[in-house]
Amino acid sequence: IAYAASFGTDKWEFSLEQTLECSRLIKKFDAISVREDSGIVMCSKHFDVKAEHLLDPTFLLDKCEYENIVKVEKEKPYKESLMTYILDKTDEKNYIVDRVATLLGIKPFSVMPKSSFVNVGRRGINYCVYPRVTEWLRGFQDADFVVTDSFHGTVFSIIYNKPFISIANKDRGISRFTSLLKTFNLNDRLIFSYNRNDIDRLINTPIDYEKVNKVIKSEQERAIIFLRNALS
């Protein structure tokens, strides 16, 4: 069973030989679901198999279950309230964070290592350590606003019902962002570049999480039905 498998892109990147081999192998699966809606088309066009579009598996747990994990680990709260989860830092993304921080009057904090091994080498290895998963989760729990260029940063902003700005990350695939946000009618939360008007608009546009949470519940039920049918 393949649950919410991801191509990470809406463009075919494989040779004819690879495609034929994968087409042969994928037909050995009893059930196939994909994370992006574009994956349905790819599976049909290149593999001649039917796939179902389902939520990322992290959505199958409710927020309270993640909060319980954080509670068990006794993670300390963050003092700041603007969470930034930026995988690929650029000056433009820093400008976006600064703009949000200034307009909301809150300080940013990061849930990424202080530096990368490429920049500091072996002597600075202690600055390259990623936070624990529960520290990462605590960041969403404590945030008043989230700025991220990460798919799962966007996912957990939604799970925790936080206002957020998602920065399109071309290097990691745009389709994963657009497909996710379209599911919840949150397409407007995605920006592609630094634009003051877009940032100001998003800060002043609340997200109707009552509607979003109804979609989550409905999609959770659909996912469970898929898994039960596939396992029976």
Side-chain angles (χ1 to χ4, degrees), residues 70 73-78 132 138 142:
V70 173
E73 293 298 321
K74 299 179 180 179
E75 291 292 352
K76 295 180 180 179
Y78 288 91
R132 294 184 299 275
R138 181 81 208 212
D142 292 342

Side-chain angles (χ1 to χ4, degrees), residues 10 16 27 30 39 44 47 51 69-70 78 83 90 100-101 113-114 141 152 156 167 184 186 196 199 204 211 216-217:
D10 57 1
L16 177 60
K27 291 180 175 65
D30 296 312
S44 175
F47 299 147
I69 297 171
V70 173
Y78 288 91
M83 178 179 174
T90 64
V100 173
K114 293 180 180 179
Q141 189 172 316
H152 280 106
F156 277 85
I167 306 169
F184 301 105
L186 294 174
R196 284 193 175 192
I199 296 169
N204 292 299
K211 287 185 178 179
I216 292 176
K217 285 296 180 186

Side-chain angles (χ1 to χ4, degrees), residues 78-210:
Y78 288 91
K79 295 179 181 179
E80 299 82 6
S81 54
L82 172 57
M83 178 179 174
T84 65
Y85 183 47
I86 307 295
L87 300 180
D88 303 303
K89 294 181 180 180
T90 64
D91 288 340
E92 188 172 39
K93 291 173 186 178
N94 289 336
Y95 297 151
I96 294 170
V97 171
D98 290 343
R99 180 69 177 171
V100 173
T102 299
L103 290 177
L104 292 178
I106 55 179
K107 293 182 178 181
F109 68 93
S110 174
V111 287
M112 289 289 285
K114 293 180 180 179
S115 190
S116 65
F117 187 79
V118 174
N119 294 328
V120 298
R122 193 180 299 271
R123 291 183 179 180
I125 192 69
N126 290 336
Y127 296 104
C128 306
V129 179
Y130 278 76
R132 294 184 299 275
V133 171
T134 44
E135 283 185 76
W136 187 79
L137 290 171
R138 181 81 208 212
F140 290 97
Q141 189 172 316
D142 292 342
D144 289 332
F145 201 97
V146 179
V147 177
T148 183
D149 68 346
S150 154
F151 172 81
H152 280 106
T154 305
V155 166
F156 277 85
S157 296
I158 296 170
I159 290 174
Y160 276 88
N161 285 191
K162 300 296 181 177
F164 68 92
I165 289 176
S166 186
I167 306 169
N169 195 329
K170 295 179 182 179
D171 293 335
R172 296 174 186 264
I174 300 296
S175 63
R176 64 183 65 191
F177 291 91
T178 55
S179 181
L180 168 69
L181 294 171
K182 184 165 64 175
T183 299
F184 301 105
N185 196 27
L186 294 174
N187 311 58
D188 64 333
R189 307 307 296 192
L190 183 68
I191 64 174
F192 290 82
S193 60
Y194 176 75
N195 183 299
R196 284 193 175 192
N197 292 332
D198 287 343
I199 296 169
D200 296 3
R201 172 180 55 81
L202 289 174
I203 285 175
N204 292 299
T205 303
I207 297 173
D208 187 346
Y209 271 113
E210 185 175 346

